[in-house]
C-alpha cells in the first residue's frame, strides 16, 4: 500500500513538473517523422488541436489555419511520393529534428505557413537542463587563469567528442593532423600579435600623456599672462 502511494505521489509530481500537462505539448505528435507516415489521420487531428491552441494564444492567425492544414496535406502527399523512407528511418539518436524538418519542409516556399508553425513549436523551451549541463561541462574543462578563447576551444572539442559518441569514434583526418602540426607556429604568431598590440597601446598611452602634459603647460602659461 505504501509502495503504491509512493509511486502515485512520484508520478503526480513528475506530471506536475512535466510539459506534457499542457494541451499544446500533447498535441505535437504530428511532429514525429515516423508518425507522419504511419498515422497520417491521427497526425492531422493533432495538427488541428495545435492550431486551435496557437490561434487561441494569438500565435497563429485563425484565418490561416485552413491554409496550413491544406499545406500539411499537400506536404504529406509529397512525402509519400518522394521520401517516406527518410521519415520511417528517422532516428533521434543520430539526427536532429530541426535539421530534418528544415531539409524536408523549410526549403520549400509553398509550405511557408506550415513551416512557420513547425519552427515556432521547435523553438519552445524544454527547460534549463541543457544550459545547466553546459555549465557543468565548462567547469570540467576550465583551469586557473584560462583565457576566453582557450575555454571556447576546449568546449568545442568536448562537444565534438560527445557528438561523435566518444573519443574512440573520432576519425583523425589529414586536415586535423596539419592543424596540429601548425599549432605551435600559430601560437607564436598569436604571441607576436599580442606583443605588437601591447606596443601600440604603450605608444598610444605615451602620446596621450604627452598631449595631456602639453595642455597643462598651455593652461599654466595662459594663467601667468
Amino acid at each position: 500500500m505504501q509502495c503504491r502511494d509512493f509511486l502515485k505521489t512520484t508520478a503526480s509530481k513528475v506530471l506536475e513538473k512535466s510539459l506534457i500537462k499542457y494541451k499544446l505539448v500533447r498535441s505535437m505528435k504530428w511532429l514525429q517523422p515516423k508518425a507522419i507516415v504511419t498515422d497520417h489521420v491521427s497526425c492531422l487531428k493533432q495538427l488541428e488541436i495545435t492550431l486551435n491552441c496557437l490561434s487561441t494564444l494569438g500565435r497563429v492567425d485563425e484565418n490561416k489555419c485552413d491554409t496550413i492544414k491544406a499545406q500539411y496535406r499537400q506536404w504529406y502527399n509529397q512525402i509519400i511520393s518522394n521520401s517516406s523512407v527518410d521519415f520511417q528511418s528517422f532516428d533521434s539518436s543520430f539526427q536532429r529534428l530541426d535539421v530534418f524538418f528544415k531539409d524536408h519542409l523549410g526549403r520549400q516556399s509553398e509550405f511557408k505557413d506550415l513551416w512557420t508553425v513547425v519552427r515556432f513549436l521547435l523553438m519552445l523551451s524544454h527547460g534549463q537542463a541543457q544550459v545547466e549541463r553546459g555549465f557543468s561541462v565548462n567547469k570540467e574543462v576550465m583551469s586557473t587563469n584560462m583565457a576566453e578563447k582557450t575555454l571556447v576551444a576546449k568546449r568545442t572539442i568536448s562537444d565534438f567528442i560527445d557528438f561523435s559518441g566518444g573519443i574512440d569514434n573520432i576519425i583523425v583526418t589529414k586536415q586535423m593532423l596539419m592543424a596540429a602540426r601548425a599549432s605551435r607556429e600559430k601560437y607564436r604568431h598569436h604571441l607576436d600579435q599580442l606583443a605588437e598590440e601591447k606596443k601600440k597601446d604603450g605608444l598610444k598611452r605615451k602620446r596621450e600623456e604627452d598631449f595631456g602634459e602639453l595642455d597643462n603647460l598651455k593652461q599654466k602659461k595662459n594663467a601667468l599672462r
Side-chain angles (χ1 to χ4, degrees), residues 3-210:
C3 181
R4 186 175 66 179
D5 291 340
F6 169 76
L7 291 175
K8 287 174 63 178
T9 304
T10 303
S12 176
K13 183 61 68 174
V14 170
L15 289 175
E16 180 184 339
K17 297 292 184 179
S18 174
L19 295 176
I20 201 67
K21 65 182 179 180
Y22 297 106
K23 185 178 180 180
L24 175 62
V25 176
R26 294 196 302 272
S27 70
M28 289 170 60
K29 172 187 175 182
W30 64 276
L31 288 177
Q32 299 178 23
K34 292 181 181 179
I36 292 173
V37 176
T38 59
D39 196 4
H40 168 62
V41 176
S42 176
C43 285
L44 186 56
K45 292 180 180 178
Q46 295 297 323
L47 171 60
E48 292 177 355
I49 296 174
T50 299
L51 293 176
N52 288 334
C53 292
L54 293 178
S55 62
T56 301
L57 295 171
R59 294 293 183 175
V60 173
D61 187 350
E62 187 176 356
N63 297 323
K64 283 190 174 183
C65 290
D66 289 337
T67 301
I68 294 171
K69 286 186 284 187
Q71 289 181 6
Y72 179 80
R73 294 189 186 95
Q74 183 183 352
W75 180 56
Y76 169 77
N77 292 331
Q78 185 183 94
I79 292 171
I80 295 300
S81 301
N82 302 324
S83 53
S84 61
V85 175
D86 294 339
F87 281 73
Q88 289 178 333
S89 61
F90 177 82
D91 189 346
S92 59
S93 301
F94 305 99
Q95 296 172 273
R96 286 176 56 107
L97 188 62
D98 54 348
V99 175
F100 183 83
F101 274 111
K102 176 66 176 178
D103 292 338
H104 289 84
L105 176 63
R107 303 184 190 282
Q108 304 179 62
S109 59
E110 62 267 33
F111 305 129
K112 63 179 182 179
D113 294 323
L114 176 61
W115 170 239
T116 299
V117 173
V118 171
R119 186 173 56 185
F120 173 78
L121 294 174
L122 292 177
M123 289 190 296
L124 288 175
S125 173
H126 294 281
Q128 300 297 320
Q130 187 68 27
V131 177
E132 293 172 0
R133 194 178 302 117
F135 292 150
S136 299
V137 174
N138 288 347
K139 186 176 181 180
E140 291 176 2
V141 300
M142 285 181 66
S143 59
T144 306
N145 296 328
M146 180 180 290
E148 179 183 353
K149 289 184 178 180
T150 305
L151 174 60
V152 172
K154 283 196 169 187
R155 181 59 195 271
T156 301
I157 295 171
S158 176
D159 289 345
F160 182 74
I161 292 174
D162 291 340
F163 177 78
S164 301
I167 196 168
D168 294 332
N169 296 325
I170 295 177
I171 300 175
V172 180
T173 63
K174 183 178 179 180
Q175 289 81 359
M176 292 171 65
L177 292 173
M178 292 176 63
R181 290 169 184 162
S183 59
R184 183 63 185 176
E185 186 63 31
K186 289 181 179 179
Y187 179 62
R188 288 178 180 172
H189 179 66
H190 174 66
L191 293 179
D192 291 340
Q193 284 184 323
L194 292 179
E196 185 66 24
E197 291 175 1
K198 186 176 181 180
K199 182 179 179 181
K200 289 181 179 179
D201 290 340
L203 292 174
K204 183 179 179 181
R205 284 196 299 270
K206 182 67 168 59
R207 194 179 302 112
E208 290 174 350
E209 291 173 358
D210 291 342

